[in-house]
Amino acid sequence: MIIIPARLKSTRFPNKVLIPIGGIPMVIRVAKIAQEVDRVVIATDEEAVREVCKDYGFEAILTAKNHESGTDRIAECARILGLAEDEMIINLQGDEPFIEKEVIQSLKNLMAKKAKESGELPFMGSCAKAISKEEAKDCNLVKVVINAANEALYFSRSPIPYDREDKIANSTNSYWGHLGIYAFSGKSLQEFCKLPKSTLEEIEKLEQLRALEYGKCIIIAKVKSRSFGIDTPEDLKKIEKYL
């Protein structure tokens, strides 16, 4: 199933999950896309968000206000729902209003394929798209280096890999931009949230580095996407341009 964390009072952009996009609250726009792939539940910390979800016919679970991340929020939601350890849970951010359903489906398919091959779901899965050399310079766009088995080696806000001799052309798939969507098993989701914060996670402010630093595998689905997250009020200009 797909769980969308929707914190109302975001530090950088309060109330952004309810910002109307094309006349529809942002989190509802995300949920409408996600429901084309699987069952959707929205995990929120405010009754106001739950009421909006209810008005649009979506199930919403009220969670604690003190969660440090969306992953912690969906982990509580999964416990409330009593989801099984072998349930596939996709964490889709509530501020990704242009995520394509094909991206979600690709991640779901990859997790299912790996589970069929090994007998259990991978610890964690996510997505990446090819980006240009110029885009890789943007510290707000997280980059990921991927090995031959399509597993993440490292995530960074810096341009990685570092092009020491300036040989990487824009036309090559050398830079991969990370998309903010994750998949877990019910068991690995709870395990991840119990792991202590890691050094690399604190330095880069990227929680997925916690999994890598503790030796966990993150498989990556390579996708095509025009999606972008809404992190600040300035990003609303991107929405106008996109629409």
Side-chain angles (χ1 to χ4, degrees), residues 126-174:
S126 194
C127 295
K129 64 178 180 179
I131 59 173
S132 70
K133 191 172 184 177
E134 194 60 34
E135 288 175 311
K137 297 176 183 178
D138 183 356
C139 66
N140 292 312
L141 200 167
V142 177
K143 278 67 65 176
V144 57
V145 173
I146 306 167
N147 68 13
N150 286 333
E151 298 166 345
L153 292 174
Y154 192 68
F155 297 86
S156 181
R157 297 185 183 280
S158 296
I160 52 173
Y162 177 69
D163 190 10
R164 181 178 175 180
E165 297 182 351
D166 197 27
K167 290 184 177 180
I168 297 177
N170 270 322
S171 59
T172 63
N173 288 345
S174 296

Side-chain angles (χ1 to χ4, degrees), residues 2 9 20 34 56-57 66 72 118 133 137 141 173 207 209:
I2 300 167
K9 296 176 181 176
Y56 281 89
N66 60 349
D72 292 325
S118 66
K133 191 172 184 177
K137 297 176 183 178
L141 200 167
N173 288 345
E207 68 171 346
L209 288 175

